[in-house]
Amino acid sequence: MAQASALETLIDLAQRESDAVAKRLGAALKAVEEAEQKLDMLTGYRDEYANKLDAAQLAGITPFAYHNFVAFIGKLDNALNGQREVIKHAQYKANMEKAAWQESERKRLSYRTLSERAAAEALQLENKRDQKLMDDHAARGARYKQR
């Protein structure tokens, strides 16, 4: 019985660990999604600003204004590159959390399998005992009738 109790404790701990890792995985996946949304926003803003530059050039633009446009687009390009790095790191973290979750689930399921096997063995043993008692009872009854 102590073995079953210890196994149940391990299953409970593994379930808690799996739940905690699943929460971290969820947060990591959300961070990836938010970083990708920010990249999309920056890309849209950069495209919009580049279109404004094109329109300004068609309408006529001073060298000073042109320089400001190009400098700002350069800053947006730097922000885009930085955001791509943020996404790479967020994806790496999400992949690490996914691997940790898969490992914790594997451990939890292996404990559950061990528990199910132990329960099946205990049931089989109990059935054998019951069968032996019934056989003994039947044998005593047969001997009693012979007397």
Side-chain angles (χ1 to χ4, degrees):
M1 216 25 132
Q3 183 182 11
S5 176
L7 198 50
E8 289 302 317
T9 300
L10 286 174
I11 290 170
D12 185 50
L13 290 173
Q15 181 65 54
R16 289 181 193 181
E17 177 189 354
S18 186
D19 291 348
V21 174
K23 284 180 186 175
R24 289 197 319 261
L25 173 58
L29 291 173
K30 185 177 179 188
V32 169
E33 183 181 331
E34 289 172 353
E36 287 172 343
Q37 288 173 351
K38 188 171 181 182
L39 178 66
D40 289 345
M41 182 196 70
L42 285 169
T43 300
Y45 191 54
R46 192 225 182 266
D47 291 345
E48 181 183 324
Y49 209 74
N51 290 337
K52 285 182 183 179
L53 173 60
D54 290 343
Q57 285 178 316
L58 289 174
I61 187 172
T62 66
F64 179 74
Y66 176 79
H67 174 73
N68 286 341
F69 265 108
V70 171
F72 189 69
I73 288 174
K75 288 179 182 180
L76 287 173
D77 287 338
N78 287 338
L80 285 166
N81 289 332
Q83 192 60 29
R84 286 184 189 103
E85 284 298 312
V86 168
I87 290 172
K88 266 181 20 183
H89 290 295
Q91 287 171 333
Y92 174 78
K93 181 172 171 119
N95 289 337
M96 296 302 289
E97 294 296 351
K98 181 180 179 183
W101 176 76
Q102 288 171 332
E103 177 60 24
S104 69
E105 277 296 289
R106 185 201 58 75
K107 186 190 319 181
R108 184 185 67 80
L109 291 173
S110 65
Y111 289 149
R112 174 105 30 228
T113 300
L114 286 174
S115 175
E116 289 168 358
R117 279 188 199 149
E121 287 174 9
L123 181 62
Q124 189 177 19
L125 196 62
E126 186 177 329
N127 287 342
K128 281 183 180 180
R129 265 190 244 128
D130 288 348
Q131 185 63 48
K132 184 175 180 339
L133 286 173
M134 288 172 41
D135 290 348
D136 289 348
H137 181 70
R140 275 194 298 272
R143 274 182 271 169
Y144 179 73
K145 284 184 180 178
Q146 286 179 350
R147 291 184 188 173

